[in-house]
């Protein structure tokens, strides 16, 4: 028994220091604005701790997304192997693992973020529990441990209490119940979002689909049952982590969905609409920015030929005589 205790201490002690450093760092900053003894300062410090841990796990989340996508895309090949080697379970397992290796797929990658968070989760659990008994862990001083263990939200809800040890405190029971429901709902919605929007039709049947459906219903039940034994501070950590996961997954599914999924079709439709709108805006801009051509002045209209006036007979005779006299005069000059 001492052996396992030593192993547990060897693993948990570094986590106590890492968690307490981040927690105390946030608390020192928030303590300048809020009352350092208040539950709000310590709860917000727990939220800050959650954000730091989840940000550090982003590379692992990206790897999880890639592996999950590969699992979806190779489902047709998995079905072919099942039809071909369904009579030989050992050969089927060998060929399936070979396919996973060739495609760089890890069927358990979806569980990695949860598995890696569990030690952190239990370390925070122990940190709060021991602080409530006046036993500092990590870099927490005795004063900080007393503040952390005795911090109360709204001046009357200790964040170290759980639903089970509320001792009839309705405020503790109500807040713990709300956080357990929020933690369970966010877990369920995150998994359902993945299955309904980012899984192709081929992946909705077979072993992988069964695994996802099992996680869809089993994980929320596990969190709901276990949540009533978690301190309120730990419930804030897990609920914040679930909200991060849901938002992060929504962003990835919306902007980089797996081919052949409803999310992929929706993204294509958005891209077409955006391209059409952009093309229309560009055409309108080019039309409005084009220089207005100066209009050429209208061509002058041809002048109308004046019609000769009508003359009377007497006037015609008179003009004819004048032309004859002028002609004779001009001829005399030439001579």
């Amino acid at each position: 028994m001492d052996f396992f205790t030593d192993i547990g201490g060897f693993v948990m002690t570094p986590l106590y220091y890492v968690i307490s450093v981040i927690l105390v760092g946030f608390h020192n900053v928030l303590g300048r604005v809020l009352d350092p003894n208040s539950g709000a300062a310590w709860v917000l410090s727990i939220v800050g701790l959650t954000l730091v841990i989840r940000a550090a796990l982003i590379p692992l989340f990206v790897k999880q997304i890639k592996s999950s996508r590969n699992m979806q895309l190779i489902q047709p090949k998995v079905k072919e192997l099942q039809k071909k080697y369904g009579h030989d379970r050992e050969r089927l397992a060998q060929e399936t693992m070979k396919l996973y290796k060739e495609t760089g797929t890890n069927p358990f990658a979806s569980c990695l973020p949860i598995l890696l968070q569990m030690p952190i989760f239990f370390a925070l659990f122990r940190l709060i529990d021991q602080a409530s008994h006046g036993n500092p862990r990590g870099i927490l001083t005795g004063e900080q441990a007393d503040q952390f263990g005795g911090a109360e939200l709204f001046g009357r809800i200790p964040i170290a209490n759980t639903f089970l040890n509320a001792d009839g405190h309705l405020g503790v029971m109500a807040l713990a119940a709300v956080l357990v429901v929020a933690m369970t709902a966010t877990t369920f919605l995150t998994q359902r979002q993945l299955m309904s929007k980012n899984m192709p039709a081929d992946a909705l049947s077979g072993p992988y689909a069964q695994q996802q459906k099992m996680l869809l219903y089993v994980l929320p039940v596990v969190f709901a049952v276990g949540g009533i034994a978690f301190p309120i501070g730990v419930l804030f950590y897990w609920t914040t982590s679930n909200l991060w996961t849901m938002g992060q997954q929504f962003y990835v599914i919306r902007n980089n969905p797996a081919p052949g999924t409803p999310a992929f079709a929706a993204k294509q439709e958005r891209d077409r609409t955006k391209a059409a709108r952009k093309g229309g805006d560009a055409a309108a801009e080019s039309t409005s920015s084009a220089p207005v051509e100066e209009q050429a002045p209208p061509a002058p209209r041809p002048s109308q030929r004046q019609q000769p006036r009508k003359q009377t007979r007497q006037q015609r005779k008179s003009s004819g005589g004048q032309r004859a006299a002028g002609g004779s005069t001009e001829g005399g000059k030439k001579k």
Side-chain angles (χ1 to χ4, degrees):
M1 198 67 177
D2 293 337
F3 172 77
F4 291 105
T5 302
D6 293 340
I7 292 296
F10 178 77
V11 173
M12 299 300 288
T13 299
L15 290 177
Y16 290 144
Y17 279 95
V18 172
I19 291 174
S20 61
V21 165
I22 300 173
L23 201 63
V24 171
F26 274 105
H27 184 260
N28 289 339
V29 174
L30 293 169
R32 299 178 181 178
V33 182
L34 303 172
D35 180 7
N37 296 316
S38 67
W42 284 105
V43 165
L44 290 177
S45 299
I46 292 173
V47 172
L49 168 69
T50 310
L51 298 181
V52 170
I53 292 173
R54 291 313 308 268
L57 292 177
I58 286 178
L60 181 63
F61 178 79
V62 172
K63 185 177 181 180
Q64 173 199 356
I65 290 295
K66 291 181 179 179
S67 182
S68 178
R69 177 173 299 178
N70 287 341
M71 284 292 296
Q72 297 169 18
L73 296 178
I74 66 174
Q75 285 308 299
K77 295 182 179 180
V78 172
K79 289 183 178 180
E80 291 179 3
L81 292 177
Q82 291 172 349
K83 292 179 181 179
K84 188 175 181 180
Y85 302 108
H87 60 283
D88 188 347
R89 290 185 175 275
E90 184 177 353
R91 180 68 183 278
L92 175 61
Q94 292 176 354
E95 294 296 329
T96 303
M97 292 305 296
K98 182 180 178 182
L99 177 63
Y100 288 159
K101 186 176 181 180
E102 291 175 351
T103 57
T105 304
N106 183 359
F108 303 104
S110 60
C111 301
L112 287 178
I114 295 178
L115 293 177
L116 285 181
Q117 285 191 85
M118 292 309 294
I120 300 171
F121 178 79
F122 286 117
L124 179 62
F125 180 96
R126 290 285 296 168
L127 203 68
I128 296 176
D129 181 66
Q130 291 299 310
S132 66
H133 292 88
N135 299 322
R137 298 276 178 159
I139 68 165
L140 283 174
T141 63
E143 180 183 358
Q144 290 171 334
D146 292 337
Q147 289 180 352
F148 192 23
E152 296 181 346
L153 273 175
F154 314 115
R156 54 182 179 177
I157 303 177
I159 65 172
N161 281 16
T162 69
F163 185 91
L164 292 179
N165 68 356
D167 296 329
H169 195 307
L170 295 180
V172 172
M173 296 175 68
L175 182 57
V178 169
L179 290 173
V180 168
V181 170
M183 183 175 64
T184 304
T186 49
T187 302
F188 177 82
L189 292 175
T190 300
Q191 190 64 22
R192 184 173 177 80
Q193 176 183 242
L194 175 65
M195 294 185 64
S196 63
K197 294 185 178 181
N198 205 40
M199 289 184 66
D202 293 338
L204 294 176
S205 61
Y208 181 71
Q210 295 302 320
Q211 174 191 347
Q212 296 298 317
K213 289 178 182 178
M214 181 182 67
L215 293 175
L216 176 65
Y217 295 104
V218 171
L219 285 180
V221 173
V222 170
F223 290 134
V225 173
I228 59 176
F230 298 155
I232 288 177
V234 175
L235 292 177
F236 270 107
Y237 169 86
W238 204 257
T239 303
T240 304
S241 180
N242 283 359
L243 289 172
W244 174 290
T245 301
M246 189 163 61
Q248 188 173 245
Q249 182 173 272
F250 174 81
Y251 176 83
V252 172
I253 291 176
R254 179 177 174 82
N255 294 280
N256 194 20
T261 61
F264 187 80
K267 184 177 186 302
Q268 286 184 318
E269 181 63 27
R270 289 196 306 272
D271 291 343
R272 283 193 295 266
T273 303
K274 185 177 179 180
R277 188 185 300 114
K278 187 176 180 180
D281 293 343
E285 183 180 353
S286 62
T287 302
S288 61
S289 61
V292 180
E293 295 183 0
E294 297 183 0
Q295 295 182 351
R301 298 175 63 184
S303 58
Q304 296 182 351
R305 185 177 181 182
Q306 296 183 353
Q307 299 293 332
R309 293 181 177 180
K310 292 184 178 181
Q311 298 178 344
T312 61
R313 183 179 296 178
Q314 185 65 28
Q315 288 174 338
R316 288 197 298 271
K317 287 183 178 182
S318 175
S319 60
Q322 290 176 357
R323 285 197 298 270
S328 60
T329 306
E330 188 177 13
K333 288 181 180 181
K334 290 181 179 179
K335 290 180 181 180

